Amino acid sequence: MPNNSATPPSFAPIHTCATTGDTAGSGGGQASVATPLAAAVAVGGDASGARLRNGRWRALRPYLQRRRWALLAVGALSLASTGFGMAYPYVTKLLVDEVLIGHKPLLNQLVAISLALVIAGFFCSWANNLLYSRATMQVLADMREDLFCHILRLPMPLLYRQKTGELLTRLNMDMAEVQGFAVDSLYFVITNVIALVFNVAMLFWLNPPLAWLSLLLLPLPALSGALFRRTVGGLANQVRQGQGRLATVLLESLQGIKVIKGLAVEPTVSAAFRRDTDTVNRVNLQLLNVSFLAGNIPGTVVAVAGVAVYWWCGRDVLHSAISVGDLIAFSSYLVRAFSPIQGLTGVYIKGEKARVSWERVSELLDQPAEPSLPATLPEPLRGQIEFRNVSFAYPDVYSEKRILSSLTFTLPAGAVLAIVGPSGIGKTTILDLLLKHLTPTAGAIRLDGIPIAEIDAASLRRNIAYVSQDVWLIHGTVAENLTFGRACPMAEVEAMAKLADIHDVILQLPQGYATIIGEKGMQLSAGQRQRLAIARALLHQPKVIVLDEATSALDRDTEQGILENLRRRFPGVTLILVSHRPGLVSLADHFLEHTKGRWQFSARGWTAHAG
Ligand SMILES: Nc1ncnc2c1ncn2[C@@H]1O[C@H](COP(=O)(O)OP(=O)(O)OP(=O)(O)O)[C@@H](O)[C@H]1O
Ligand SMILES: [Mg+2]
């Protein structure tokens, strides 16, 4: 990925993912779109079919503009190497007619010119290749980074509906296809059109009647492109969807490998994977076949035309109507006139595949990201939490699941709240609402009296240490996991690890804090993983701590110890615990309990209906 700091300051920054609150241009409480890609796609908001016709390719412009000097250099070098290539047949003609047949003493000069043309052409192509590869990679990295930012900023309810494999395919393959087309077409079209005009002009200069005849063949390759365009588009779409399915199956299987082994269903899973692969391969073969035909019919036409020219002109050479050099030069320029057409047909076919990919990327970019709001939480935050008539239902395809109905309670700053209730009743949902991962269907949630709907989500979450039920760790060292995404002094990291009662365990690992803990922390026990997650969350210096069954894998004493550490290290911080354990609940001074079909809120020695 290109380093943003290394880019010329003259260009407006493209990437704005760093923090939602820092998003440039956001303001006025308006929902903002983070990236140029998303911004351009958001304009219009029409049905996907009409998207490209409405000029949404313009979304790609800032990315090309950012690398404009490199792309311009690529264009100039392409023109130069095309020019050297185009001059070569004419020098050959002079060599044959003037030197070999006319016996003029120009052999050394013409050979030197030929050599110079070949060597200059080589160096131009070499430099061009280097520059082009670098520019394309940078454009792709910029675009991928922005799409990734956009995905990271999508609201949770939208992300719940996405399949990881699909996202991966769009981010990887579709983005590469779009970028390839955006950059390739730019200079392919320019150089091919110039080459076409020059070569056709040379044909007319050398032999006008034959040039007219050859011209009749020129539209044939273009026709072949037009003929196959729709088929290519349809097949490309099927291939991408299939690849998305494959990636999803792969990811799911690898994540659940222990379950697959436990159920001893490896053969069934791999057979299903093989079936899916075969289906994708079948469609991919059709796509390759059609793309080959579309791209290579022009080549065959060129070959036929070349033979025809030799047959036609051969007789004229025999009757001395034209020179041998003319024949060689004419057939060379004919081949060179057809190859730009072939190149343009290729761009056209590539464009169709890129259109399909762009549709798929646009579907993601069409999804509105979480809004960046100007309001942040006041400093210092006290941590009073208020739910006022909060109702919530998950938008479901089949039905609306009503989880909360007019939930009302006020938790004083510095209190310890235990949320207790049977599985599936909505405990995690309450926390998701507090963290703005979900939005209430009615009612308001306030933090220190400020409605969280008005507060920027990133600012809110920075103040809340949230440890979820499912621990998420990366394949990295213990230290990398603890400081994930932030720079923290090691002393602070160790302090939090001690607080979460994991420091001693870490020290016993082979490389201590530098030990790699494997994917998802595989090399640690469930309880150790939970303690690592708690330490990571606490590095936030939070004003509110939320533990959603985050100590469920720990023994009673360790759990009690951690919570006592928490109260000691973070006095006055509001603590919310979701747990089924009576021991843990006994630490709380406030309770939100689901009994007799409703939520009841109570402080020690006091009870009220919460909703
Ligand atoms: N993303 C979702 N989309 C639709 N329904 C959901 C979603 N997440 C949870 N639910 C439903 O909402 C209900 C409450 O879920 P929630 O996770 O809040 O329960 P919980 O009380 O935390 O349960 P547990 O103790 O098992 O963790 C459940 O019945 C669940 O089926
Ligand atoms: Mg839960």
Side-chain angles (χ1 to χ4, degrees):
M1 233 176 245
N3 183 357
N4 292 343
S5 60
T7 54
S10 59
F11 194 82
I14 293 186
H15 317 294
T16 51
C17 201
T19 51
T20 39
D22 300 339
T23 305
S26 66
Q30 294 296 307
S32 71
V33 188
T35 65
L37 273 185
V41 169
V43 174
D46 52 343
S48 61
R51 191 172 284 134
L52 298 181
R53 286 191 294 280
N54 287 354
R56 289 205 178 186
W57 283 113
R58 256 177 285 155
L60 306 179
R61 200 192 287 160
Y63 298 90
L64 302 178
Q65 221 176 355
R66 189 167 192 230
R67 308 287 168 195
R68 62 191 176 282
W69 296 120
L71 293 171
L72 276 175
V74 166
L77 285 168
S78 308
L79 283 180
S81 56
T82 312
F84 293 134
M86 286 190 300
Y88 191 74
Y90 188 72
V91 179
T92 313
K93 167 198 152 52
L94 293 179
L95 206 62
V96 172
D97 285 348
E98 307 296 326
V99 178
L100 298 182
I101 297 172
H103 297 292
K104 287 193 182 158
L106 293 170
L107 182 63
N108 290 346
Q109 291 91 324
L110 287 175
V111 167
I113 292 174
S114 301
L115 267 178
L117 285 173
V118 171
I119 291 169
F122 167 78
F123 279 108
C124 272
S125 304
W126 187 28
N128 199 13
N129 190 42
L130 280 180
L131 260 179
Y132 173 74
S133 308
R134 213 173 76 125
T136 15
M137 281 178 201
Q138 285 170 330
V139 170
L140 179 59
D142 290 346
M143 285 172 33
R144 271 206 187 127
E145 185 178 353
D146 278 357
L147 181 61
F148 186 49
C149 281
H150 185 75
I151 292 173
L152 289 181
R153 297 193 59 227
L154 288 178
M156 286 313 292
L158 281 179
L159 287 169
Y160 286 144
R161 282 186 240 141
Q162 303 289 342
K163 290 187 227 147
T164 323
E166 259 293 315
L167 290 180
L168 212 64
T169 315
R170 289 178 200 216
L171 199 57
N172 259 332
M173 298 181 173
D174 286 315
M175 221 43 184
E177 191 79 56
V178 170
Q179 167 274 340
F181 174 70
V183 178
D184 286 357
S185 60
L186 238 183
Y187 91 104
F188 261 101
V189 168
I190 296 170
T191 52
N192 280 322
V193 165
I194 290 172
L196 180 68
V197 170
F198 180 86
N199 286 310
V200 169
M202 286 304 282
L203 289 179
F204 274 96
W205 187 57
L206 287 167
N207 194 329
L210 206 55
W212 280 114
L213 209 63
S214 315
L215 218 60
L216 291 177
L217 293 170
L218 281 182
L220 273 179
L223 278 179
S224 103
L227 200 70
F228 290 112
R229 188 182 69 93
R230 272 182 183 281
T231 323
V232 167
L235 290 171
N237 197 14
Q238 286 180 44
V239 168
R240 286 283 179 258
Q241 283 177 5
Q243 284 166 335
R245 270 197 307 278
L246 273 185
T248 305
V249 172
L250 256 184
L251 278 171
E252 277 177 355
S253 308
L254 293 176
Q255 278 164 3
I257 196 141
K258 210 169 171 182
V259 180
I260 292 174
K261 282 177 185 289
L263 295 170
V265 290
E266 294 98 324
T268 330
V269 172
S270 62
F273 181 69
R274 178 60 204 242
R275 268 198 307 278
D276 284 348
T277 313
D278 286 344
T279 311
V280 176
N281 279 354
R282 224 177 7 255
V283 186
N284 211 358
L285 265 179
Q286 286 176 32
L287 177 63
L288 288 174
N289 190 31
V290 174
S291 302
F292 178 86
L293 286 178
N296 284 274
I297 284 179
T300 315
V301 172
V302 175
V304 171
V307 173
V309 163
Y310 267 102
W311 172 73
W312 187 276
C313 297
R315 293 177 315 168
D316 287 348
V317 173
L318 288 177
H319 296 119
S320 302
I322 60 167
S323 70
V324 178
D326 275 343
L327 170 61
I328 294 170
F330 191 90
S331 48
S332 282
Y333 282 117
L334 185 63
V335 170
R336 280 158 196 263
F338 272 98
S339 67
I341 299 248
Q342 188 160 355
L344 291 171
T345 316
V347 171
Y348 190 57
I349 294 294
K350 212 172 159 99
E352 190 53 26
K353 291 184 194 167
R355 190 188 63 78
V356 169
S357 288
W358 184 230
E359 291 285 350
R360 289 163 48 81
V361 170
S362 299
E363 267 172 29
L364 275 181
L365 294 168
D366 270 341
Q367 315 270 8
E370 279 186 309
S372 290
L373 302 176
T376 52
L377 282 173
E379 297 282 343
L381 191 74
R382 286 184 300 113
Q384 186 212 50
I385 296 167
E386 185 187 350
F387 274 58
R388 184 76 38 221
N389 293 319
V390 173
S391 300
F392 181 76
Y394 280 105
D396 203 315
V397 187
Y398 307 107
S399 63
E400 285 233 325
K401 270 190 189 169
R402 198 159 185 80
I403 307 293
L404 296 177
S405 168
S406 288
L407 178 66
T408 299
F409 67 87
T410 304
L411 183 69
V416 181
L417 171 73
I419 303 181
V420 186
S423 173
I425 205 66
K427 301 184 293 296
T428 301
T429 306
I430 292 173
L431 303 182
D432 281 343
L433 287 164
L434 175 64
L435 283 145
K436 280 185 81 165
H437 289 314
L438 299 173
T439 311
T441 38
I445 301 169
R446 294 192 175 87
L447 203 55
D448 281 6
I450 307 168
I452 62 166
E454 293 169 11
I455 299 168
D456 183 61
S459 151
L460 174 84
R461 291 171 198 154
R462 271 196 293 270
N463 282 284
I464 301 179
Y466 171 60
V467 187
S468 70
Q469 255 175 307
D470 316 306
V471 174
W472 176 81
L473 296 169
I474 57 161
H475 181 91
T477 65
V478 172
E480 282 165 354
N481 270 285
L482 286 171
T483 58
F484 185 75
R486 277 164 295 163
C488 306
M490 205 52 207
E492 186 69 1
V493 174
E494 285 183 15
M496 291 307 136
K498 280 180 190 153
L499 205 141
D501 200 14
I502 188 73
H503 178 70
D504 292 341
V505 177
I506 296 171
L507 290 186
Q508 279 162 24
L509 293 172
Q511 269 100 37
Y513 279 84
T515 310
I516 292 182
I517 54 169
E519 195 143 342
K520 290 192 279 172
M522 288 275 197
Q523 288 166 31
L524 298 177
S525 75
Q528 289 167 344
R529 285 200 290 269
Q530 282 191 336
R531 282 182 276 168
L532 218 53
I534 293 173
R536 178 180 60 194
L538 295 177
L539 275 165
H540 261 301
Q541 293 300 334
K543 306 297 178 298
V544 177
I545 299 172
V546 178
L547 305 181
D548 187 359
E549 298 190 45
T551 49
S552 57
L554 302 182
D555 61 273
R556 195 168 177 276
D557 290 346
T558 313
E559 185 178 54
Q560 296 265 352
I562 292 176
L563 290 170
E564 277 156 21
N565 288 348
L566 277 184
R567 293 313 289 155
R568 212 176 37 251
R569 177 68 163 74
F570 297 103
V573 164
T574 310
L575 184 59
I576 300 179
L577 308 168
V578 174
S579 182
H580 297 290
R581 305 235 189 138
L584 199 68
V585 172
S586 70
L587 286 177
D589 47 35
H590 288 74
F591 306 91
L592 186 61
E593 205 170 348
H594 197 274
T595 47
K596 297 179 193 146
R598 62 188 311 162
W599 285 103
Q600 286 197 333
F601 181 73
S602 61
R604 279 203 187 281
W606 169 87
T607 305
H609 289 311

